[in-house]
Amino acid sequence: MPDTSLETLIEALRKLPGVGAKSAQRMAFHLLQHDRPGALQLSRALDTAVTSVRHCARCNTFTEEPICGICLDPARDAHQLCVVETPADQATLERTGSYRGLYYVLMGRMSPLDGIGAREVGASNLLDRALDGVVSEVILATSFTAEGEATSHVLSEALKLRGIRVTRLARGVPAGSELEYVDLSTIAHALVDRR
Amino acid sequence: MPDTSLETLIEALRKLPGVGAKSAQRMAFHLLQHDRPGALQLSRALDTAVTSVRHCARCNTFTEEPICGICLDPARDAHQLCVVETPADQATLERTGSYRGLYYVLMGRMSPLDGIGAREVGASNLLDRALDGVVSEVILATSFTAEGEATSHVLSEALKLRGIRVTRLARGVPAGSELEYVDLSTIAHALVDRR
């Protein structure tokens, strides 16, 4: 058990993802030595976020309202529903400026080896959402990793069973790439999906 | 300006040393999605540490008392004063179990290029401490980097001018090393300092 408030702070910082014992110590020393206002700011920001950030009742993303701004926006196309893993992925898609439909945010992806299956990523909520009678196409935009592909596959099967049209983001050569430096699996997919 | 409490939290996390935009986002999502109790714990730990952690009036390390436990320990040898850069370095020396004197913690090191000189590392406080009439030897245990060496050099000159015996941690081959894999500068120093 940590026996001083400095050790308690180091322990609490270690809980952050990607922060080990040395980084936590460095962070604690930095805050106490050089940035006490920053430490208090962070403390308040944590409190406020825990109190006020909840999940959108329609798309499951983080929001401070019962329904998020995108879901409430009448200018969005309610026939398209794009499934992403995280709010960060959603933000990335928004920045492209090329999608005007709605979203469903899984807040994770399936990882059977870690015991995270369809239930844990809230697949049934997604099905309820997609079967609202308005959505006509679900675009799966999970990651192109083994886990993201598995998630996409399972969701795709479940949605198709219920008669919903399902598409997946195209795989292919990234913009600005020279072919010589693109990995072979990407090129193989780009060949198959050529248009 | 961040306009939601989630963005405010991400901004506050970015102030931590070594945390960029992506890590801050990942940390915020992790806390809100998987570890809200951890977020509240961190918030409380920050508050408590900022309120209660101060500097020891004698050795300058972090403590919650006016004078830290080591400085108050009558079993420590008050004739020896070991100068370290950080409380982490002090903790490392303590773990060796081979030093029974007292410490002075600079809470940094000189870095002339960044405008951190003798004044910023509190050299005059160290001189006052070393000239208490009891200290007979100051052991410089700053890092063996360019900045640590510069710090050591400047402090050494100032202390010697005032008639205090100054020593420096020995440089040499680390325990458990095979010579073949030790860098040449370390071997050169070990040759010069052979005993």
Side-chain angles (χ1 to χ4, degrees):
Chain A
M1 273 303 292
D3 62 347
T4 68
S5 56
L6 179 60
E7 286 165 28
T8 307
L9 174 58
I10 294 173
E11 281 302 304
L13 286 163
R14 281 194 63 173
K15 302 277 175 63
L16 293 171
V19 176
K22 294 261 179 199
S23 316
Q25 200 178 51
R26 197 159 50 97
M27 287 173 175
F29 290 165
H30 171 81
L31 290 173
L32 290 171
Q33 184 68 14
H34 301 292
D35 195 10
R36 291 187 179 222
L40 293 176
Q41 232 167 43
L42 177 54
S43 166
R44 281 193 301 274
L46 286 161
D47 268 335
T48 309
V50 167
T51 312
S52 59
V53 174
R54 58 173 103 180
H55 292 281
C56 171
R58 298 197 75 203
C59 77
N60 199 38
T61 197
F62 286 131
T63 173
E64 292 174 45
E65 309 300 328
I67 310 271
C68 77
I70 291 180
C71 284
L72 286 177
D73 183 351
R76 311 283 309 204
D77 178 356
H79 298 98
Q80 291 186 319
L81 190 69
C82 181
V83 177
V84 293
E85 291 175 3
T86 64
D89 294 343
Q90 181 184 18
T92 303
L93 275 163
E94 281 297 288
R95 279 201 301 275
T96 68
S98 56
Y99 179 66
R100 297 299 304 161
L102 298 174
Y103 291 94
Y104 187 85
V105 184
L106 295 172
M107 292 288 177
R109 54 186 154 189
M110 288 179 209
S111 175
L113 294 179
D114 304 317
I116 303 170
R119 188 192 304 173
E120 284 72 20
V121 296
S124 67
N125 289 335
L126 165 61
L127 291 181
D128 290 347
R129 174 69 189 85
L131 291 165
D132 69 347
V134 181
V135 171
S136 59
E137 177 186 1
V138 170
I139 303 166
L140 295 170
T142 55
S143 302
F144 285 83
T145 59
E147 293 172 351
E149 293 281 21
T151 307
S152 166
H153 178 75
V154 171
L155 296 178
S156 171
E157 295 298 303
L159 288 160
K160 280 178 188 159
L161 262 182
R162 285 158 183 83
I164 297 183
R165 182 173 170 234
V166 179
T167 56
R168 177 93 167 103
L169 283 194
R171 267 180 295 217
V173 179
S177 316
E178 295 186 59
L179 274 197
E180 183 178 354
Y181 300 107
V182 174
D183 70 290
L184 299 183
S185 141
T186 297
I187 294 184
H189 280 299
L191 262 175
V192 172
D193 294 348
R194 70 188 181 280
R195 30 169 243 154
Chain B
M1 273 299 294
D3 63 347
T4 67
S5 57
L6 179 59
E7 286 164 28
T8 307
L9 174 57
I10 293 173
E11 281 303 302
L13 286 163
R14 281 193 64 173
K15 304 276 175 64
L16 293 171
V19 176
K22 293 262 179 197
S23 315
Q25 199 177 51
R26 196 158 52 97
M27 287 173 174
F29 290 164
H30 170 82
L31 289 173
L32 290 172
Q33 185 67 11
H34 301 292
D35 196 10
R36 292 190 178 219
L40 294 176
Q41 231 167 45
L42 176 54
S43 166
R44 281 193 301 274
L46 286 161
D47 269 334
T48 309
V50 167
T51 312
S52 58
V53 174
R54 57 174 106 180
H55 292 280
C56 171
R58 298 197 75 204
C59 76
N60 199 40
T61 197
F62 286 132
T63 173
E64 293 174 47
E65 309 300 328
I67 310 270
C68 76
I70 291 180
C71 283
L72 285 176
D73 183 351
R76 310 286 306 207
D77 179 355
H79 299 98
Q80 291 186 319
L81 190 70
C82 181
V83 177
V84 293
E85 291 175 5
T86 65
D89 294 344
Q90 180 185 19
T92 303
L93 276 162
E94 281 297 288
R95 278 201 302 277
T96 68
S98 56
Y99 179 66
R100 296 299 304 159
L102 297 173
Y103 291 93
Y104 188 86
V105 184
L106 294 173
M107 291 288 176
R109 54 185 154 190
M110 288 179 211
S111 175
L113 293 180
D114 304 318
I116 302 170
R119 188 193 303 174
E120 284 72 20
V121 297
S124 68
N125 288 336
L126 165 60
L127 291 181
D128 289 347
R129 174 70 189 84
L131 290 165
D132 70 345
V134 181
V135 171
S136 59
E137 176 185 1
V138 170
I139 302 166
L140 295 170
T142 55
S143 302
F144 285 83
T145 58
E147 293 173 351
E149 294 280 21
T151 307
S152 165
H153 178 75
V154 171
L155 296 178
S156 171
E157 295 299 302
L159 288 160
K160 281 179 188 159
L161 263 181
R162 286 158 183 85
I164 298 184
R165 183 175 168 231
V166 179
T167 57
R168 177 93 168 104
L169 283 194
R171 267 181 294 218
V173 179
S177 319
E178 296 185 60
L179 272 197
E180 184 179 352
Y181 300 106
V182 174
D183 71 290
L184 300 184
S185 141
T186 298
I187 295 184
H189 281 298
L191 262 174
V192 173
D193 295 347
R194 70 188 181 278
R195 29 171 246 153

